[in-house]
Amino acid sequence: MPELSIGEKDFLLDGEPYQIISGALHYFRVHPDQWADRIRKARLMGLNTIETYVPWNLHSPTRGEFDTSSGLDLERFLKLVADEGMHAIVRPGPYICAEWSNGGLPPWLLRIEGIGLRRSEPQYVAAVSEYLKSVYEIVAPLQIDRGGPVFLVQIENEYGAYGSDKEYLAELVRVTREAGITVPLTTIDQPTPQMLADGSLPGLHLTASFGSRSTERFKTLREFQPTGPLMCMEFWNGWFDSWGFHHHTTTVEDSDQALDEILAAGGSVNFYMFHGGTNFGMTNGANDKGAYVPLVTSYDYDAPLDEAGNPTAKYHAFRKTIAKYAPVPDELPAEAAAAPEFSVGLTATAGLLEVAGSLGTAVTGETPLTYEELSQDTGFVLYEASVEGLAPGVLKIGEEVRDRAYVYVDGVPVGILSRDSHERTLRLPLAGSTLTILVEDQGRVNYGERLGEAKGLIGAVTLNGTPVLNWTARPLDVDRLASLDLSGAATDLGPTVFTAEFELAEASDLFLDAGDWGKGLAWLNGFNLGRYWRRGPTRTLYVPAPVTRAGSNRLVVLELESVAEESAAFVGGLSLGQTEF
């Protein structure tokens, strides 16, 4: 059987020098019926390898479960890579960052008292071991020395930027090897001496992450690791977007020059990303470096394949550069058919507050229970308490709102408290009896010190300095809206559920334009397309063709604020532009 090993200067495939030219493609960000198409386009650009993270939180939403159904079928994904004649790199974390909610760590970890994340704390290590064993039951039989595509596996992820617990890294290696992983093991860090030192162990091959100054970065890596192949495991050929900021791009020329430097040095490379895909549902992460900034639904990443899987100018430039160093197929991907363009009217079908009782069960507590206490991993929680005799006045959340709160008195909207604006006080102008607060988790922090924090109304809630007590908290499963019978439901002054029906001649990629809407979520045929927000920079939600069908299709929209037009427009392509205020 073939074997990949670490040589003096190169990766060795069956003893011969081998330059890895890889691309990141996250199976969990792409509809499973489109995996084969994206993998094939990677090979046609000249890649010989596909790399993917593994999201612990998706596979294991509850402890003891490891879901591999449908879009989580890692085995099928890796076999499709092999079918295309390509190799695979698997990066299971357990922490993946990836601009993914909580960096891939499942929220149930946070409900374990005294747990210590990403270190050699016994409870955490035990949970991680369970997870990795489940991953490796799939990966081990698919290693290259057993006839499969997998020839590298990564230990942890960018650990030098977080900690330096060598016992923890050693435990991950032990679990990995005992689970039957025999291929070389790697680490990744930004190429600074401190991060490389903190994130590595003897016996692990170090790789780097960067997007420019390739020669300089490789020089630092070589000084720290005198032998072995040079590899940029994350070549940042683009970047991610956050709500309220501009769409990030890198120029074709600058990225192509950096790529050329990597390959000319004999280095191996993994494009991050080759194809970004989409943060469907409520899976996006967030950053907090003094200010909380949630990420958008699109993970287009200004990558060689755009969010809808179409080649970009970078695809063709990179393909030409790769051809200087490695064989590239003559074939090019076929041009994609233009997406249908049309509009349909939206019908206000129900008020969210009116149907909340069908979306979850209320739990009582003296103070507002956090998402963690409610076992609510993401989405929305509806809080209610009596303020009879207390309002009007100044409402104050003691510590922080995580992350956005819509406030009502007796069903009448009175304001919004938002974490990204550091707002936690609001004047209630009305006398009333019932205070209602709808809280949205806009994405769990995926990087840094705020990884693993609680969500909800954090700290005591007061009105004119008097504690507001005896709350109900109702976790809402808003995905039920797509299948709930809303006939006869009333609309109210709060968030509104809109519906629309339309016909298609055949299944097709679509691009739903949300530019005239406020903030919310949309479902097509029950599939959660993700969040939209007028803040931009994205206007459209990508609809994968396999989600649509010939004949009747049903759109459901949860609008949290207001729409300028009660219609849904489907446009001809992705809209990734500057923020409009």
Side-chain angles (χ1 to χ4, degrees):
M1 287 293 180
E3 180 184 26
L4 186 79
S5 59
I6 305 295
E8 186 71 17
K9 293 183 179 179
D10 303 288
F11 288 107
L12 301 176
L13 186 60
D14 288 340
E16 297 296 323
Y18 190 76
Q19 192 169 27
I20 298 172
I21 305 177
S22 175
L25 175 59
H26 299 158
Y27 60 97
F28 47 95
R29 280 183 160 126
V30 179
H31 193 283
D33 291 351
Q34 295 174 325
W35 288 346
D37 172 77
R38 307 312 194 243
I39 294 167
R40 183 168 184 274
K41 287 172 178 172
R43 181 179 64 80
L44 295 184
M45 196 178 88
L47 305 188
N48 54 36
T49 303
I50 294 291
E51 175 270 314
T52 187
Y53 280 131
V54 180
W56 185 5
N57 55 2
L58 273 195
H59 284 284
S60 301
T62 58
R63 188 167 188 174
E65 175 185 3
F66 194 79
D67 183 10
T68 57
S69 62
S70 187
L72 295 175
D73 192 345
L74 176 59
E75 179 181 5
R76 175 175 171 261
F77 178 78
L78 293 174
K79 286 182 176 179
L80 287 173
V81 172
D83 290 345
E84 202 62 44
M86 302 177 74
H87 301 297
I89 300 170
V90 176
R91 301 203 287 164
Y95 163 79
I96 63 173
C97 185
E99 292 73 58
W100 189 255
S101 181
N102 218 39
L105 299 180
W108 55 258
L109 284 172
L110 315 179
R111 301 193 281 270
I112 301 174
E113 187 176 353
I115 196 165
L117 302 181
R118 300 185 73 189
R119 59 185 175 89
S120 53
E121 188 277 317
Q123 297 177 102
Y124 179 67
V125 169
V128 168
S129 298
E130 294 168 11
Y131 159 66
L132 289 178
K133 288 174 184 176
S134 295
V135 175
Y136 294 145
E137 284 179 6
I138 296 168
V139 173
L142 295 174
Q143 294 177 100
I144 187 171
D145 57 1
R146 304 187 197 181
V150 179
F151 64 7
L152 286 177
V153 168
Q154 183 175 290
I155 298 296
E156 244 283 352
N157 190 56
E158 301 174 315
Y159 189 64
Y162 184 86
S164 57
D165 187 338
K166 302 296 186 178
E167 291 183 14
Y168 167 56
L169 294 178
E171 185 65 14
L172 297 183
V173 172
R174 183 190 67 78
V175 172
T176 299
R177 289 305 191 199
E178 288 187 359
I181 299 300
T182 55
V183 298
L185 304 180
T186 64
T187 63
I188 180 176
D189 277 295
Q190 295 177 47
T192 70
Q194 189 65 54
M195 289 188 187
L196 291 170
D198 289 348
S200 63
L201 274 182
L204 302 180
H205 187 68
L206 282 65
T207 69
S209 57
F210 54 82
S212 60
R213 308 205 314 265
S214 304
T215 301
E216 174 189 337
R217 310 294 196 187
F218 270 166
K219 183 174 183 291
T220 303
L221 180 59
R222 179 57 78 207
E223 288 172 352
F224 193 87
Q225 182 173 250
T227 64
L230 294 168
M231 183 166 188
C232 180
M233 185 63 80
E234 287 189 13
F235 171 50
W236 300 328
N237 51 272
W239 205 246
F240 55 85
D241 288 337
S242 303
W243 292 115
F245 291 79
H246 66 280
H247 172 50
H248 290 84
T249 62
T250 59
T251 69
V252 174
E253 294 76 17
D254 287 349
S255 291
D256 193 43
Q257 179 181 342
L259 171 64
D260 203 352
E261 290 179 14
I262 291 172
L263 298 179
S268 290
V269 67
N270 177 52
F271 291 91
Y272 193 96
M273 300 287 296
F274 166 69
H275 172 52
T278 308
N279 297 316
F280 293 118
M282 292 173 280
T283 57
N284 65 281
N287 284 296
D288 192 331
K289 299 177 181 179
Y292 174 79
V293 184
L295 278 76
V296 305
T297 298
S298 171
Y299 202 65
D300 175 82
Y301 216 85
D302 193 32
L305 283 192
D306 69 15
E307 185 182 3
N310 300 312
T312 66
K314 282 184 178 174
Y315 182 96
H316 297 289
F318 292 167
R319 186 174 182 272
K320 184 176 180 180
T321 297
I322 291 169
K324 294 163 56 177
Y325 303 95
V328 173
D330 292 334
E331 183 183 356
L332 280 168
E335 290 288 330
E341 298 192 40
F342 58 94
S343 293
V344 295
L346 290 174
T347 301
T349 308
L352 179 67
L353 303 186
E354 296 288 337
V355 300
S358 300
L359 303 178
T361 302
V363 180
T364 60
E366 184 172 280
T367 58
L369 299 174
T370 65
Y371 280 50
E372 285 58 47
E373 291 168 324
L374 294 164
S375 298
Q376 177 80 339
D377 290 347
T378 188
F380 299 85
V381 172
L382 188 65
Y383 295 94
E384 286 191 336
S386 172
V387 289
E388 187 78 44
L390 296 178
V394 176
L395 176 72
K396 181 178 180 181
I397 311 301
E399 183 180 334
E400 193 170 46
V401 175
R402 298 183 189 156
D403 302 309
R404 190 172 179 86
Y406 297 86
V407 183
Y408 311 84
V409 175
D410 291 343
V412 178
V414 294
I416 298 172
L417 297 171
S418 63
R419 175 180 180 179
D420 57 355
S421 299
H422 301 283
E423 296 166 344
R424 57 191 182 94
T425 60
L426 178 69
R427 180 170 292 278
L428 305 186
L430 307 172
S433 58
T434 302
L435 172 67
T436 301
I437 305 178
L438 176 66
V439 174
E440 179 192 6
D441 159 32
Q442 294 185 280
R444 291 183 179 272
V445 172
N446 55 255
Y447 185 87
E449 295 178 357
R450 301 199 74 156
L451 186 71
E453 65 184 4
K455 291 286 189 175
L457 300 175
I458 309 301
V461 179
T462 60
L463 187 53
N464 292 328
T466 300
V468 180
L469 302 174
N470 301 317
W471 290 79
T472 64
R474 187 186 302 272
L476 302 183
D477 181 0
V478 293
D479 278 323
R480 293 186 193 175
L481 290 171
S483 57
L484 202 63
D485 181 5
L486 300 173
S487 57
T491 58
D492 55 25
L493 295 175
T496 304
V497 181
F498 292 91
T499 58
E501 304 276 345
F502 60 90
E503 299 281 329
L504 288 175
E506 60 182 358
S508 174
D509 275 359
L510 298 175
F511 304 94
L512 176 60
D513 188 347
D516 288 329
W517 301 346
K519 188 179 194 304
L521 292 154
W523 293 260
L524 189 67
N525 297 330
F527 184 88
N528 192 330
L529 302 174
R531 311 176 201 252
Y532 63 86
W533 198 356
R534 66 164 57 95
R535 282 190 179 185
T538 54
R539 289 178 57 95
T540 53
L541 290 173
Y542 171 57
V543 184
V547 168
T548 70
R549 55 189 175 230
S552 178
N553 293 264
R554 184 170 188 257
L555 175 68
V556 175
V557 176
L558 171 59
E559 172 57 59
L560 299 170
E561 299 178 6
S562 63
V563 297
E565 297 288 340
E566 291 193 3
S567 62
F570 292 89
V571 295
L574 297 171
S575 176
L576 295 162
Q578 300 300 312
T579 301
E580 296 180 3
F581 294 96

